[in-house]
Amino acid sequence: MSDLVNIRHDHNVAVITIDNPPVNAMKYEVRVGLLDLVSRAIGDAAISAIVVACAGRTFVAGADITEFGKPPRQPTGIAVIEAMEASPKPVIAAMHGTPLGGGLELALGCHFRVAAPGTRLGLPEIKLGIIPGGGGTQRLPRLVGMDKAMAMILSGEPIPAREAFDAGLVDEIIEGDLAAGAIAFARRVVAEKRPLALTRNRDEKLATARDLAAFDAAAANYTKRARGQNAPAAAVEALRAALSLPVADALKRERELFLDLVAGDQSKAQRHIFFAEREAAKVPDVAGVKALDVKRAAVIGAGTMGGGIAMCFANAGIPVTVVDTGAEALARGLDVVTRNYRNTAARGGLAADEMEARIGRIAGTTDLAAIADADIVIEAVFEDMGVKQEVFGRLDRIVKPGAVIASNTSYLDIDAIARGTARPQAVVGMHFFSPANVMRLLEVVRGAATSPETLATAIAVGRTLGKVPAVVGVSHGFVGNRMLRLRSVEAERLLLEGALPQDVDGALTGFGFPMGPFAMADLAGLDVGWRMRKAQGLTAPIADQLCERGRYGQKTARGFYLYEPGARTPKPDPEVERLIVDTAAQRGIARGALGKDEIVERLLFPMINEGARILREGIARRPGDIDVIWVYGYGFPVHRGGPMHYADSVGLAYIRDRLTAFAHKTGDDRHHPSPLLEELAAAGRGFASLGE
Ligand code: T1G
């Protein structure tokens, strides 16, 4: 018996309720309790039907991820699901919140499924580097058809209740009291003697999908974007088995694929990111501190970042005012925002009424006084300290007391910016990533004077905007850009030593990044980096020369690569190769062959070393914070778990020795193994051991 599952009788209906906060994960004790009470209800003559429901904020949100990698304990989730499916009495799942993974699979094992209107149903296992392992790849397509099942399982994205109802996944949407509605539904099933169709035996939706060539073509659209992840191909194989094997064999194949993936490094890495993402916003002295209730927002600067940040607030339902000094710049900025929304709607990504509502939440003004009543103000003006301090000084005089004043600077000193005000405790860094309405990461920069309330508010706002907040300290470039700087320097160095842009980019995309440093620089605009380097007295041998020649990347159709007019596909340019060869010769650098692995090590190990310095300085609290920043802000492949997790998988002693060799080769002090890396390597420990 388990106290995480209870049962009550409503006349001839047994209501079994799981109560395992916060998300009713299907841990061992829940499985024991569930199997016990279902068996009892089946054996109870007074009972004609069984309703399975959950207390708290959600129906079962999956298997308990913390149990992965530990010895399996019986009963398994499959045993519980099969017991329900085999019940001679109707079993109805009453769902609310987010029935996900093993939770939805539990419901798929029931004979009927009802849901509250706001329910979001999905099989997100692929985001953990696994596939559904409780029959989801076999039962879901039998209910919703192969196309929808493939989309749900390969994307891992949930669908809303209405869509689930239309697809046949949910039998009824219950307005009002879910339990009462589910019991009434159960009674109707009994009264109407409705046949108990076992989902696993339903074939009507698969009969029309047995064209394996068409299946393979559709599946290829998903697997071609896998970038080295194993789970997508495994999911496709399991789904294909639903079309080609008897269900019992297909279920067996699904389980084999699942067990193989869950024991693999990729899933370990993705589970690390799952929990690190939830840890990254946790700051001991902010726990329990009440965040400000943000009803109105303002953004200073109508440029690319300002417009994207304003969209985040509008998307989250918060009215926002964009301020720009020039009416023309303001109009241009708001026009870009409107066009973005119209394009999304035109692609079917947004309903027309919701589009209008979001556009309607964004106002513009050239009068700073107009935002005096904002609860939070985010400054996104030109990256110049003088300009920032001037703006913060004016905001300090205008904005109401108690409001949060944040800077979107991507590297400047938040403490210096705060000194431009009389309320440094209300100042915080909120570093969005471009495009701000798309990128999920938010680096929340805690200044020396930032109050716990201000920090709690910045974190809460980040979550409300659908971002992954990661709290960091003040340092030049904070965490992400500070580490990126080392990778950029190394990328240029590799060009002089023998690589070409396509070699360096190819090595990193082969590693799993969506894009390499040079294609990324061309996309962002080489002039942006050039201006920043000049402002900081830094150089980049090749990029500087390209900029001097007016080659700013995609926007000029020439950068490190050539681009056909209007196209984004980078093409190698012999002129760039000549420039690299000549520059190396002028600097007396002998160029030679560089292998993919060496290129990857040269790009990643110095930034990992910098990550160790950042940890030692306390600019990042946990190695997992750095991993979350790189996965959500810089495209580090999630199935490698971020730079610090990856470093542990390679071994710190090996990285120390390679860095020592790099330092010898390049003479670059930053290559010398940092003290923390040295200590951990010498002790045979990894970064993960720091939390222990
Ligand atoms: N197992 C263990 N802990 C979990 C958990 C889970 N499945 N889901 C959430 N938590 C913890 C989380 O770490 C956090 O802890 C707290 O609950 C609140 O979560 C066989 C094998 C449900 C949408 O992938 O997507 O089933 O930080 O902060 O923002 O095929 O949690 O408070 O200590 O995220 O409201 C499939 C994972 C598993 C869903 C709620 N299921 N969870 O979001 O809260 S694999 C998933 C989520 C599987 C089967 C396979 C979200 C949520 P702490 P939170 P939230």
Side-chain angles (χ1 to χ4, degrees):
M1 187 49 196
S2 156
D3 55 11
L4 298 180
V5 189
N6 60 62
I7 186 167
R8 68 181 175 87
H9 292 186
D10 188 307
H11 303 289
N12 63 339
V13 176
V15 181
I16 297 175
T17 303
I18 300 165
D19 190 0
N20 175 30
V23 295
N24 289 310
M26 208 148 74
K27 64 192 274 187
Y28 164 71
E29 290 81 359
V30 169
R31 299 193 304 268
V32 169
L34 210 42
L35 189 57
D36 174 46
L37 294 178
V38 166
S39 313
R40 271 207 251 159
I42 290 172
D44 184 340
I47 295 298
S48 313
I50 303 166
V51 168
V52 177
C54 288
R57 65 182 182 195
T58 181
F59 191 79
V60 177
D64 188 326
I65 304 169
T66 64
E67 289 184 342
F68 292 3
K70 297 177 183 149
R73 301 174 71 187
Q74 305 303 327
T76 62
I78 290 174
V80 177
I81 291 167
E82 290 183 343
M84 290 183 174
E85 193 168 50
S87 162
K89 301 175 182 179
V91 182
I92 294 98
M95 300 177 283
H96 70 293
T98 51
L100 299 173
L104 184 58
E105 290 174 305
L106 189 72
L108 289 168
C110 296
H111 305 113
F112 302 96
R113 286 149 294 280
V114 299
T119 307
R120 295 181 62 75
L121 309 87
L123 294 176
E125 284 86 345
I126 209 139
K127 296 182 179 179
L128 296 170
I130 54 177
I131 64 171
T137 66
Q138 304 309 311
R139 292 188 176 88
L140 185 66
R142 283 174 162 79
L143 280 184
V144 302
M146 186 52 81
D147 292 349
K148 189 159 219 50
M150 188 185 285
M152 289 177 68
I153 290 172
L154 269 293
S155 72
E157 293 305 323
I159 62 172
R162 176 54 56 186
E163 187 179 335
F165 176 81
D166 296 341
L169 176 53
V170 163
D171 298 290
E172 188 168 303
I173 294 187
I174 308 278
E175 301 287 347
D177 183 332
L178 176 63
I183 293 166
F185 181 92
R187 293 227 165 86
R188 281 201 303 280
V189 166
V190 173
E192 298 160 13
K193 295 190 173 33
R194 284 177 49 185
L196 303 187
L198 275 58
T199 310
R200 60 182 285 157
N201 298 336
R202 293 177 63 165
D203 201 52
E204 65 276 16
K205 292 226 178 147
L206 288 188
T208 53
R210 289 223 155 77
D211 172 348
L212 292 178
F215 172 90
D216 294 340
N221 285 329
Y222 293 98
T223 51
K224 72 179 181 213
R225 293 193 297 262
R227 286 209 301 270
Q229 295 189 27
N230 301 331
V236 164
E237 186 187 338
L239 286 166
R240 198 173 199 280
L243 299 176
S244 56
L245 295 179
V247 66
D249 298 346
L251 284 166
K252 191 163 162 290
R253 184 67 191 127
E254 174 201 87
R255 191 70 186 168
E256 289 162 358
L257 291 162
F258 168 79
L259 290 173
D260 192 39
L261 289 167
V262 83
D265 290 342
Q266 294 197 355
S267 181
K268 285 192 189 110
Q270 288 175 255
R271 292 183 331 244
H272 160 69
I273 291 295
F274 176 85
F275 289 112
E277 176 186 333
R278 284 150 182 82
E279 290 297 305
K282 292 181 182 165
V283 180
D285 64 333
V286 172
V289 172
K290 194 168 173 348
L292 190 69
D293 187 12
V294 171
K295 292 195 175 53
R296 295 199 65 70
V299 175
I300 314 302
T304 309
M305 290 307 292
I309 296 168
M311 290 176 74
C312 292
F313 281 102
N315 296 351
I318 300 172
V320 57
T321 302
V322 178
V323 183
D324 204 300
T325 45
E328 240 181 78
L330 180 64
R332 205 172 36 245
L334 294 178
D335 187 47
V336 170
V337 167
T338 305
R339 253 185 294 120
N340 268 337
Y341 278 126
R342 296 209 185 291
N343 291 343
T344 307
R347 285 196 308 271
L350 197 59
D353 57 348
E354 180 53 24
M355 176 193 71
E356 294 304 341
R358 292 181 184 192
I359 293 172
R361 292 189 195 110
I362 303 177
T365 180
T366 55
D367 175 14
L368 198 61
I371 54 116
D373 199 32
D375 301 306
I376 188 167
V377 180
I378 304 195
E379 163 276 313
V381 301
F382 190 61
E383 288 278 36
D384 175 90
M385 184 56 81
V387 173
K388 302 263 188 207
Q389 288 178 325
E390 192 273 332
V391 169
F392 269 70
R394 290 172 58 207
L395 289 172
D396 187 31
R397 292 188 292 279
I398 288 169
V399 175
K400 69 181 180 186
V404 166
I405 311 178
S407 172
N408 177 57
T409 180
S410 60
Y411 63 93
L412 291 174
D413 182 342
I414 292 291
D415 294 330
I417 293 174
R419 281 195 289 276
T421 75
R423 49 173 133 174
Q425 75 285 0
V427 175
V428 65
M430 291 179 74
H431 177 206
F432 290 77
F433 287 73
S434 183
N437 56 310
V438 176
M439 294 297 286
R440 293 198 57 209
L441 180 68
L442 178 69
E443 241 181 349
V444 177
V445 187
R446 180 179 199 162
T450 302
S451 70
E453 292 73 24
T454 297
L455 196 59
T457 303
I459 294 168
V461 166
R463 285 225 175 92
T464 304
L465 303 185
K467 303 299 180 189
V468 176
V471 178
V472 300
V474 172
S475 165
H476 194 76
F478 315 130
V479 170
N481 283 346
R482 178 173 159 179
M483 294 167 70
L484 181 68
R485 170 84 194 135
L486 275 88
R487 192 186 82 178
S488 308
V489 167
E490 212 56 27
E492 282 259 349
R493 200 176 263 144
L494 289 166
L495 294 181
L496 297 178
E497 291 180 21
L500 292 172
Q502 56 271 31
D503 302 327
V504 175
D505 286 356
L508 269 200
T509 52
F511 181 83
F513 277 85
M515 202 180 262
F518 297 117
M520 174 74 84
D522 275 357
L523 174 68
L526 301 184
D527 52 328
V528 179
W530 195 30
R531 262 203 312 279
M532 278 166 67
R533 285 192 299 278
K534 283 199 274 186
Q536 299 167 54
L538 300 169
T539 62
I542 304 300
D544 292 349
Q545 291 184 78
L546 292 174
C547 289
E548 282 145 17
R549 297 176 183 203
R551 301 177 65 117
Y552 296 156
Q554 285 190 14
K555 61 177 112 179
T556 56
R558 300 178 315 143
F560 280 99
Y561 297 99
L562 277 177
Y563 300 84
E564 300 297 333
R568 289 168 173 256
T569 313
K571 289 195 170 26
D573 185 346
E575 187 189 329
V576 173
E577 180 168 345
R578 267 194 306 282
L579 172 70
I580 293 170
V581 172
D582 294 351
T583 307
Q586 285 155 15
R587 292 169 176 243
I589 299 171
R591 302 185 79 243
L594 287 161
K596 272 187 189 305
D597 294 346
E598 178 170 5
I599 290 173
V600 167
E601 292 186 357
R602 288 280 301 271
L603 293 171
L604 299 187
F605 291 2
M607 56 181 261
I608 288 166
N609 197 28
E610 192 66 15
R613 291 189 184 99
I614 286 170
L615 287 169
R616 175 56 42 97
E617 295 164 23
I619 303 298
R621 183 178 294 275
R622 293 157 285 240
D625 299 354
I626 298 177
D627 291 333
V628 163
I629 286 168
W630 269 83
V631 166
Y632 286 112
Y634 299 84
F636 198 100
V638 67
H639 62 280
R640 295 190 184 266
M644 311 315 275
H645 179 90
Y646 166 70
D648 283 357
S649 71
V650 171
L652 300 191
Y654 175 76
I655 293 177
R656 173 201 55 202
D657 299 345
R658 296 294 291 145
L659 282 166
T660 306
F662 297 166
H664 186 67
K665 179 171 184 165
T666 64
D668 184 336
D669 289 345
R670 310 293 306 175
H671 283 167
H672 286 297
S674 63
L676 177 60
L677 186 80
E678 285 271 20
E679 287 162 26
L680 292 171
R685 291 171 54 199
F687 290 115
S689 72
L690 290 172
E692 286 157 7

